[in-house]
Amino acid sequence: MPTADYHLHTPLCHHASGHPREYAQSALNQGLPEIGFSDHNPMPRHFDDWRMSIAEFPQYLQLIQETQAEFANSLPVKLGLEVDYLPDPPSQSWIKELAAKADFDFLVGSVHYIAEDWAIDDPDPKWQSKWADPEGIENAWTEYWKRYTAAIASGHFDILAHPDLPKKFGHRPTGDLRRFYGPAIAAAQECGVAFELSTAGLRKPCQEMYPARQFLELQFAAGIPLVISSDSHQPGSVGHAFPQAIALAKEIGFTHTLQFTKRQPTPVPFP
């Protein structure tokens, strides 16, 4: 039996399709043991166009509750949220406030923004031009991993999403990338959080799971758990390439994944 998939979106993020029940049915058809929705969190001010608004947040909770009820006898459906980490104090306070607004099973932390208006995964040419030379790549990776490590150390999250997101378009600095990975691994070891092994990277220009094998090897050596996620934005992507991800995790040495209930993890052996 495959593992749980905890990174599923809904149309409320304005760049996903399909009702949550369609995601649940897709998971059920594949024999997944449970799923969890973690759509992009609302912000206290208009921030971008790819997340639910505060006004839509009650609708998000209702959609998940309805799906939980509909599949109560066949598939556990967990409530989560993908929360963007921003380093300023008001954003830190907002994360705490948001976490108290519902009885979440897990919170997924992510870093998309390395500047107020620059999302590292934005395909807009005006941002891609910043990746045009080795210095730009080095600077972007440096700022990303600085924020990612701070997100881990914040203690806000249970799972950290797509660790090496800056490689999405194939941009990687030269040299040993452990200079970026090491501080994040140390912070996760200290805080007791899990990293996500995301198959979404296989559907991106980098054509590689997030994170890279070297990161996973460091993660395993540090005793940091992992969950496997699809980052699905449509029902057909639920559980995408999970057999491949499980095989990779087991090859490295992982024997368990995690399932979450009310923000408490339970180790579950891989099939």
Side-chain angles (χ1 to χ4, degrees), residues 120 131 133-145 164-181 214:
I120 198 74
W131 300 77
D133 58 81
E135 182 180 2
I137 295 171
E138 179 75 22
N139 291 340
W141 271 63
T142 297
E143 182 57 32
Y144 172 85
W145 284 100
D164 53 357
L165 184 63
K167 75 180 180 190
K168 176 180 176 179
F169 301 106
H171 304 307
R172 294 177 178 85
T174 58
D176 190 344
L177 299 183
R178 285 179 293 184
R179 67 187 187 275
F180 300 108
Y181 304 156
Q214 185 182 47

Side-chain angles (χ1 to χ4, degrees), residues 94-105:
W94 173 243
I95 293 173
K96 293 179 181 178
E97 181 180 341
L98 194 59
K101 287 183 178 294
D103 196 9
F104 291 106
D105 290 300

